[in-house]
Amino acid sequence: MGRIIAIANQKGGVGKTTTAINLSSCLAGLGKKILTIDLDPQGNTTSGIGLEKSTLENTVYELLLDECSVRSCIYETQVEGLHIIPANVNLSGAEIELLGINEKEYLLKNAIDYIRDDFDFVIIDCPPALNMLTVNAMTTANSVLVPIQCEYYALEGLSQLIHTIDLVQQRLNPHLVIEGVVFTMYDARTNLSMQVVENVKENLNTTIYKTIIPRNVKLAEAPSHGLPINLYDKRSAGAESYRLLAKEIMNRKDL
């Protein structure tokens, strides 16, 4: 049975989409069969993996509204072993359209249950908000991976995210756990980055991955080329970091 990881943080700009794209691609590079689900209406994971958002017939939006089957909205990517359920701007209206639907918190789970055994990992990129889309991701997932940017307000809003995870665990998905925290945009030249890491370690009682994702020019450039970092520049510090993170996640025996 595939392990499903939701990548969530309601703060924007913390490296959530970058992590979704590159963790997925590096896991595929290690021989695993991966499904990435873009649950962010901005569709940046979709374009960052190389799909043209505006030309897609079936996306996660159609899936949630039961207008297509789950298999008909899974697309192959240029990365061997990596498939995606894409998103585009249509998804921004899903919140309102789902209002009257019974058990709307389980729409994604009910669809993914059909195909989860086809994949080793399912990686879900959540929107930067604690909304119904994020709740759907958490109801579907086994665990939540939280990217934290190494900056002054890193812990701001984190208690709210953990509270949401607790609520989902109590009411919708009793098996949900926090996968852990991964630090992103780390700059070894600044004391602030080191202080943030220490502060989070002191204040969060959860797994903190050893791999820290550095601030890296190649990581920032790769999405504009529609390529994951391990295809864009496999020798870059960013590519090496995401390969190490993929290995760490693969080797977790407690999940």
Side-chain angles (χ1 to χ4, degrees), residues 11-133:
K11 271 171 71 76
V14 297
K16 193 166 43 58
T17 296
T18 300
T19 297
I21 293 169
N22 295 308
L23 175 59
S24 297
S25 186
C26 288
L27 283 167
L30 292 167
K32 299 299 178 183
K33 195 171 180 189
I34 310 300
L35 175 64
T36 304
I37 302 174
D38 191 350
L39 215 55
D40 187 340
Q42 295 174 86
N44 291 338
T45 293
T46 300
S47 55
I49 274 176
L51 273 69
E52 179 51 60
K53 290 182 286 195
S54 58
T55 63
L56 300 169
E57 187 175 343
N58 292 329
T59 68
V60 73
Y61 170 75
E62 283 77 20
L63 179 65
L64 291 172
L65 293 183
D66 201 23
E67 293 176 5
C68 70
S69 70
V70 65
R71 294 190 192 281
S72 69
C73 62
I74 296 176
Y75 295 77
E76 291 187 354
T77 71
Q78 57 203 320
V79 180
E80 188 177 348
L82 175 57
H83 298 72
I84 185 169
I85 296 179
N88 56 26
V89 70
N90 291 343
L91 189 59
S92 57
E95 281 281 302
I96 295 164
E97 294 188 59
L98 296 177
L99 281 177
I101 297 177
N102 287 334
E103 298 204 323
K104 54 185 175 290
E105 300 89 353
Y106 293 98
L107 293 172
L108 186 65
K109 180 186 188 305
N110 292 340
I112 299 307
D113 277 350
Y114 282 106
I115 50 95
R116 66 181 296 168
D117 290 345
D118 297 348
F119 299 94
D120 297 305
F121 287 89
V122 178
I123 306 292
I124 308 174
D125 183 23
C126 297
L130 297 178
N131 57 18
M132 187 50 61
L133 294 173

Side-chain angles (χ1 to χ4, degrees), residues 101-250:
I101 297 177
N102 287 334
E103 298 204 323
K104 54 185 175 290
E105 300 89 353
Y106 293 98
L107 293 172
L108 186 65
K109 180 186 188 305
N110 292 340
I112 299 307
D113 277 350
Y114 282 106
I115 50 95
R116 66 181 296 168
D117 290 345
D118 297 348
F119 299 94
D120 297 305
F121 287 89
V122 178
I123 306 292
I124 308 174
D125 183 23
C126 297
L130 297 178
N131 57 18
M132 187 50 61
L133 294 173
T134 301
V135 169
N136 260 270
M138 290 183 184
T139 306
T140 308
N142 304 115
S143 60
V144 181
L145 179 64
V146 184
I148 293 183
Q149 185 181 357
C150 292
E151 50 115 79
Y152 184 68
Y153 294 110
L155 286 170
E156 195 177 81
L158 207 59
S159 58
Q160 194 182 353
L161 174 65
I162 290 168
H163 178 61
T164 301
I165 293 169
D166 287 342
L167 283 177
V168 171
Q169 192 180 41
Q170 290 166 28
R171 300 178 186 180
L172 301 167
N173 181 4
H175 304 296
L176 184 68
V177 296
I178 296 180
E179 171 87 24
V181 164
V182 58
F183 290 107
T184 61
M185 304 179 199
Y186 182 85
D187 190 341
R189 298 168 301 178
T190 67
N191 287 331
L192 178 60
S193 281
M194 290 181 266
Q195 286 166 8
V196 169
V197 171
E198 290 310 312
N199 192 11
V200 172
K201 284 179 177 176
E202 286 169 16
N203 287 286
L204 272 191
N205 182 26
T206 188
T207 298
I208 294 174
Y209 278 101
K210 293 189 185 75
T211 304
I212 294 177
I213 310 301
R215 213 173 259 287
N216 182 250
V217 173
K218 297 295 183 183
L219 269 179
E221 289 174 356
S224 64
H225 297 270
L227 291 169
I229 190 63
N230 58 334
L231 293 191
Y232 180 65
D233 186 347
K234 64 182 181 183
R235 292 186 179 85
S236 67
E240 180 58 23
S241 295
Y242 275 111
R243 278 194 294 270
L244 288 171
L245 179 63
K247 286 176 183 171
E248 257 196 279
I249 284 174
M250 269 176 55

